[in-house]
Amino acid sequence: METLDITLQLGQMLLVQTASELLTGTLNFVDPKRRIIELENPYDQRSNCQYNSPQILSFPQIKKLQIVREDEPSSNSNSCSDTGTSPTTSESHTSYNTAAARTPSSSPESKLVASEESDITLSTTELELIHEQLNSVVCITQTDQKYHKALADIRVQPVVALIIEPVDYGRTHRTSVMVLATYQTVYIFDIIAMGSIFREMKQLLEAERPRKVVHYSHKLVDHLKNRHGVKLGGIFDTFVAVSIVRGIKEPMTLIEAVEKILNINQIFFHSEAEDPLHSDIYKRPLILVMRLLLAKKAILQLKLHEHLLHKHMLKNFYSQCEIFSQTFCESEDATTPLEMQRKGRAGFQHIKRSAKEFEFKFNQLAE
């Protein structure tokens, strides 16, 4: 790696991926001759850990690099030892950006490049909320007060993320865990410890509301029906949504979809101590990295749903709403108020229905 393909300036917020870390921090020093950079207030988003001291990284260590913000962020109260990488359990308030834009595949010795292939960059506020959620995951092992409180919370939500593990082979494997996540809280239900999915949970899963955001619903529905006699209702499948939006029909796991659409690098889901993607989901008690993995998947599955629905699938609708809303506000014509009468049709010309976009077949629904 002889040169950088992006211009670095002191004070920039950088996202740096190494073989074992995904760091965000402020560029404090760069030496092209010695081929090193120094990050101030480095934060490892993969382990949810803030380091106490600056980190020096050599160019050969760096696999990918992105400038994520020009202004200097605020500091984080969480801390780890200079060499530690274990997750913290206190609340995080760092201003950082974990949106890892996907860059072209490269070896550690290839040039650093800033990717232009980008769909969305999560805001600092969104990312702070994600880490707050990761530090307050609720694990449920029995039908106690915590269980019923969780169901009461989930029941009043408009939409929740639903993850069941393992589900790759549908009905073949017994259920280990079920994760239901709201926009505020992630609930991990230990089905092995609980022994079953009970009646009140079945009713919640079969109801049309809250809508359940799932990935690969065909596998999950097969698992629930044949293992627990549950007919899942209110399905929003993020795999189907990605396939429609991108116009492709290729296998894509949830993590792969998050990487492609939200630009969150896969290393965000891994742990240096133990790779949860290859851990035993039936091992008890559930290890911390497994709980974090499940929570991250559920949280970002909701983000994926929100982005695909509102930024892509309803894009034309929101555009028309914006145009229609401006019908009167810029007018200086004195007669404008007269056009606002109850049966007035001003602005209606801006509403254009696309048959390809909204194919509602009411006659079929009536049948």
Side-chain angles (χ1 to χ4, degrees), residues 1-8 15-17 35 37 58-66 101-115:
M1 186 186 315
E2 299 298 332
T3 61
L4 298 179
D5 283 354
I6 58 177
T7 302
L8 296 180
L15 174 78
V16 182
Q17 179 189 341
R35 301 204 303 167
I37 63 172
S58 65
F59 290 2
Q61 283 182 276
I62 301 170
K63 301 182 71 174
K64 297 178 184 177
L65 181 146
Q66 182 192 2
R102 295 185 298 118
T103 56
S105 298
S106 60
S107 66
E109 292 297 328
S110 64
K111 293 181 180 181
L112 299 180
V113 293
S115 173

Side-chain angles (χ1 to χ4, degrees), residues 55-308:
Q55 298 292 299
I56 296 176
L57 302 167
S58 65
F59 290 2
Q61 283 182 276
I62 301 170
K63 301 182 71 174
K64 297 178 184 177
L65 181 146
Q66 182 192 2
I67 299 171
V68 293
R69 199 171 65 231
E70 296 292 338
D71 59 309
E72 189 169 343
S74 60
S75 61
N76 189 310
S77 58
N78 284 356
S79 64
C80 294
S81 64
D82 293 350
T83 58
T85 56
S86 60
T88 61
T89 56
S90 59
E91 193 170 294
S92 170
H93 294 285
T94 303
S95 294
Y96 55 83
N97 196 324
T98 61
R102 295 185 298 118
T103 56
S105 298
S106 60
S107 66
E109 292 297 328
S110 64
K111 293 181 180 181
L112 299 180
V113 293
S115 173
E116 296 181 356
E117 183 182 353
S118 173
D119 195 1
I120 180 177
T121 298
L122 299 182
S123 69
T124 299
T125 301
E126 288 177 300
L127 292 159
E128 288 175 350
L129 178 58
I130 287 174
H131 283 279
E132 288 177 14
Q133 289 175 283
L134 291 176
N135 291 324
S136 58
V137 175
V138 178
C139 295
I140 298 170
T141 58
Q142 56 185 331
T143 55
D144 54 7
Q145 184 178 2
K146 184 165 61 172
Y147 167 84
H148 290 289
K149 185 177 180 180
L151 292 189
D153 180 27
I154 295 167
R155 198 173 286 117
V156 298
Q157 302 296 324
V159 60
V160 295
L162 171 62
I163 292 175
I164 291 179
E165 294 289 355
V167 77
D168 277 345
Y169 295 94
R171 72 192 78 179
T172 305
H173 300 297
R174 66 192 177 105
T175 312
S176 175
V177 294
M178 178 167 63
V179 184
L180 285 160
T182 72
Y183 283 106
Q184 291 78 36
T185 310
V186 178
Y187 299 101
I188 298 178
F189 295 86
D190 189 336
I191 304 302
I192 290 180
M194 294 171 61
S196 179
I197 295 179
F198 298 102
R199 180 176 58 84
E200 59 272 15
M201 176 67 78
K202 288 183 179 180
Q203 292 174 344
L204 189 152
L205 293 172
E206 291 181 341
E208 286 298 311
R209 293 291 185 274
R211 188 160 296 281
K212 292 82 179 177
V213 181
V214 299
H215 196 85
Y216 280 163
S217 59
H218 56 336
K219 298 179 182 181
L220 193 143
V221 166
D222 177 81
H223 181 96
L224 283 174
K225 181 179 179 181
N226 290 282
R227 279 277 169 180
H228 303 282
V230 174
K231 184 179 180 182
L232 187 65
I235 297 170
F236 182 103
D237 192 318
T238 49
F239 172 73
V240 174
V242 171
S243 298
I244 292 173
V245 168
R246 288 294 181 97
I248 57 175
K249 292 182 181 178
E250 296 293 336
M252 185 186 301
T253 66
L254 173 60
I255 291 178
E256 290 169 344
V258 166
E259 181 186 22
K260 290 180 183 295
I261 305 299
L262 302 183
N263 299 309
I264 299 294
N265 199 284
Q266 283 198 22
I267 199 171
F268 177 70
F269 296 95
H270 292 239
S271 167
E272 185 175 354
E274 185 171 355
D275 183 359
L277 297 177
H278 298 94
S279 298
D280 184 2
I281 191 65
Y282 295 109
K283 183 179 179 181
R284 292 298 184 275
L286 282 172
I287 58 176
L288 175 61
V289 290
M290 178 61 73
R291 298 198 303 271
L292 283 175
L293 171 65
L294 293 168
K296 288 175 181 179
K297 288 172 67 175
I299 292 168
L300 290 172
Q301 188 164 269
L302 271 182
K303 289 290 182 186
L304 195 59
H305 157 267
E306 183 179 22
H307 177 70
L308 290 168

